[in-house]
Amino acid sequence: MGTLNLSPTLQTETSQPENQEFCFHCSLPVPAEEDIVAEIEGEPQHFCCMGCKAVCEAIYAAGLDGFYRRTPEDACLAPPPEIPKEIALYDLDEVQEEFVDDLGEERQIHLLIEGIHCAACVWLIEHSLSAVPGVVSAQVNLSGKRLHLKWHNSVVSLSHIISRLGQIGYAAVPYDPEVAEGTLKKQNRQLLYRMAFAGFGMMNLLWVSIALYAGANEGEFRSMFHWIGFALATPVLLYSGYPFYRGAWSGLRNLHLGMDLPIAIGASITYLYSVYVTLTGTLVGEVYFDTVVNFLFVILVGRYLESISKRQAVAATQRLLDLQPRVATCLVDGNEKIVPIRAVNIDDRVLVKPGDRIPVDGVVAEGQSSVDEAMLTGESMAVNKGQGDKVSAGTINGHGVLQIRVTGSLKNTALGRIIRLVEEAQGSKAPIQCLADRIVPWFVAVTLALGTSTFLFWVGTSFEVALLAATSVLIITCPCAFGLATPMSIAVASGLGAKYGILVKNGEVLESLSTINHVIFDKTGTLTEGGMSVVGVYMAGDKWEIGKDDLPPSESVLALMRKAAAIERFSEHPTAQAVVAWYEAHAQGASLLQGSDFNYRPGLGVMGRAGGQQLMAGNEGLMSSEGVVLPDRLEQLARQLAGQGIGSFYLAVDGQTAGLIAVEDRVRPDARELIGTLKAEGMQLTLLSGDRRQAAEAIAQRLGGMDVIAEVLPEEKDQVVRQLQEQGQRVAMVGDGVNDAPALVRADVGIAMGSGTDVSIASADIVLMSSELEKVRLAIGLSRRTLLTIRQNIGISIVYNIIMVPLAMAAIVTPLIAAISMPMSSLAVIGNSARIRTLFKGIKAQR
């Protein structure tokens, strides 16, 4: 943020109007309607905004006006950036410990500075902060736009320092290079440095090699070129080859033969032989410093590309982490207090302002708003929230202000559990990978044996041929591709699954799900929406049915439902709540009738008065006990509805039947399509429910037919799954409730709906975030593609070795060619794994 009033020469050269004023601080044109004038050292000066005026006054007040003289003549810069909000939170030790190594008296931190432009900015920041009591040192990195700050915490607070920077026109936020960059990114950067260093050595050694091959190896300069090669190759081997030596030593120390060991041995032997030729000056034999450097460079290129691919594969976790707010505004004795999220406790009250991300899981205690829950459910429409409604961390508050009672924070939130599931999935190993891991040490042992055999076979012919052939074998049989075959596939698949709302807990699930031949569905909350809804209203001369031409209810139907809602509003029964919800959705703002004399009759219904009339809402038993005569037509209709699995109850007004109201837990819109698709694929399907058999069979029939096991208790669901497994079935269980938890655990693969309970989610192997049943089919397809890709990757590794190892043992392949082909096999595995991403092409990803 260099700042300067434009020189008269520069101003006249512009195409601005003749009377155009320029900001004294940032030199931008001053809009005529926003001209701000202030006196600076006795002279009136014009400013484009209050920010420039305040910054300029602060600079002059501090005696730092030399800043303007040091700014380049041609600098024309933007006004000062906006100062970070709520900077007081940076004074909290809980927040600082993420950025400060030692929370003692003298602390140091890196601040990322917005607005730095030139050396004058560096001078201004350093001199301004050096005058602040308690600041030990302030060093600005111009290229990185970072400030390394040391200060005495008891003398001056970090927020005061950040505020001081704001006064002189710079916005600063704490910056942790390790956290901001990320471990994978840091490793990639180090790998890139080593690769670049090896590339530099390779290019220089190329000229040495050309000279030697052109005849210098036979003249007086032979020894000199050998020593030049030694000087170039030695630092490359030590620096660029360090990761391979570290990996090899780590494996040997832990009695594990790793992939780096053959590379380290091959490089070392080739290098030591070249050193021997150089030191002895023998005329027999050649140096191979260029071979060592070349194959290190090529291998590092391959590993760098592998690392980039791995980083992309696990990016889903970072996207989820970014959704978690770092701080929350707690209400303490009626006052707002900003605290780090880790300091929030269960039952605390948290204030969420419009547009903020909700920092915790909780229940709305006060206020009303709409909340964007797309990141959890995939639903694009905002969901209205009021008192008693649940909200989740990471979702975005809409236009209202909410007070939330905390029920979970950090890892205990829905978002925290999602993050943990993704991390566990990407770090897990499928049985096929465990087999690969067990094979790798033997693979390396065989590699060393083949290399030794090759050397012994050729040493009688030529020591150099034997050395190069053995080195080629060691390099070419490095089991990198074999080791990458499974983890890359799992990482890509779990990341893709997370993107589409399919969270996989571990790699074993992907293998197990691909072998499933029997899927069990819970009914309530899985194949159905999990809540009662009014689906029909029937009167003597009128009716309304859901989905019938999407016509709005008539006035007579609305009048009937207004009476029903007047007494049902006092009940907590799901049916009563469905009636009230229907009326509120269709009444277009009309108020409910005021009810009185409410009387709940357990197992029968409710009674009360509203609008001067006696009302009853309940089943046939209630009507019979109160002497209400039911019309034959409505009784017959109730029986028909029951046959379809739809419940109903009667409404009577002043002792006369007024109508029949049908309610049901509606079948999910995509349930029938999923059932049809799975049946077409040859899957056996079972509907498992604790409901009445008649209701369960009716639902199964509406979905196209499947086996039905009804009226079962939760522990009996577990037994059903076990019995099917004993018959040789590979069973997947799809459920959402606490009562499904035992069956989810017992099944070969448990799949929980995202709208389900925490217990069901914890018990399941796969969680479907949006509760769209289509995700079940996608999850099965993802598992099959993943297992197929793993087998293809192992096949690529085996075919590569079958072809290349004999060529290396026959001394046809040189170490350089081996170094080129080895990472190519790894890249082939990576590329094949990346093809998993095309599985859901054309399907909308979950945000």
Side-chain angles (χ1 to χ4, degrees), residues 126-160:
E126 292 181 349
H127 281 73
S128 180
L129 293 186
S130 64
V132 176
V135 173
V136 178
S137 68
Q139 298 176 331
V140 176
N141 180 329
L142 176 59
S143 60
K145 301 186 185 300
R146 296 196 293 268
L147 166 67
H148 184 213
L149 176 72
K150 293 183 181 179
W151 82 102
H152 288 292
N153 195 57
S154 62
V155 179
V156 61
S157 65
L158 181 58
S159 64
H160 178 79

Side-chain angles (χ1 to χ4, degrees), residues 203-440:
M203 288 185 291
N204 284 277
L205 274 168
L206 177 64
W207 297 109
V208 174
S209 302
I210 290 174
L212 291 172
Y213 293 146
N217 62 329
E218 298 177 357
E220 56 182 317
F221 298 109
R222 171 187 169 91
S223 179
M224 181 189 74
F225 280 116
H226 285 182
W227 281 106
I228 293 174
F230 170 79
L232 290 170
T234 301
V236 171
L237 182 68
L238 295 177
Y239 177 67
S240 299
Y242 173 74
F244 306 110
Y245 287 107
R246 181 182 58 191
W249 171 246
S250 177
L252 291 173
R253 189 174 54 190
N254 294 292
L255 302 178
H256 178 82
L257 300 179
M259 304 175 191
D260 291 323
L261 185 60
I263 296 175
I265 293 176
S268 299
I269 291 176
T270 307
Y271 172 79
L272 290 174
Y273 174 74
S274 300
V275 170
Y276 164 77
V277 172
T278 301
L279 291 176
T280 59
T282 177
L283 297 178
V284 179
E286 303 292 342
V287 294
Y288 296 97
F289 291 123
D290 57 336
T291 301
V292 174
V293 173
N294 288 354
F295 91 73
L296 280 178
F297 172 74
V298 173
I299 292 174
L300 285 170
V301 169
R303 291 214 170 173
Y304 179 72
L305 295 175
E306 291 172 19
S307 184
I308 291 295
S309 299
K310 290 176 183 176
R311 181 165 174 259
Q312 292 173 346
V314 301
T317 304
Q318 186 58 48
R319 287 196 298 271
L320 290 170
L321 285 170
D322 292 341
L323 296 174
Q324 174 67 64
R326 299 293 182 90
V327 296
T329 303
C330 284
L331 294 176
V332 181
D333 298 328
N335 297 318
E336 297 180 16
K337 182 180 180 183
I338 299 171
V339 300
I341 193 65
R342 68 187 62 187
V344 177
N345 299 312
I346 302 298
D347 290 330
D348 280 357
R349 286 287 185 99
V350 170
L351 182 70
V352 183
K353 298 176 181 178
D356 288 351
R357 282 196 183 274
I358 296 175
V360 294
D361 277 10
V363 177
V364 177
E366 291 183 28
Q368 289 188 336
S369 184
S370 58
V371 176
D372 181 357
E373 297 183 331
M375 72 96 185
L376 280 179
T377 65
E379 177 58 53
S380 59
M381 295 292 291
V383 181
N384 292 327
K385 299 289 183 180
Q387 188 171 357
D389 291 333
K390 293 182 179 180
V391 293
S392 299
T395 56
I396 302 173
N397 185 27
H399 54 78
V401 177
L402 297 177
Q403 286 189 27
I404 298 171
R405 180 176 60 81
V406 179
T407 59
S409 62
L410 291 175
K411 294 182 179 179
N412 296 318
T413 64
L415 177 60
R417 288 189 291 272
I418 293 170
I419 294 170
R420 189 165 64 251
L421 287 177
V422 175
E423 289 176 339
E424 289 173 356
Q426 292 179 333
S428 65
K429 296 182 179 181
I432 195 168
Q433 181 182 355
C434 295
L435 174 63
D437 290 344
R438 290 195 297 269
I439 290 176
V440 163

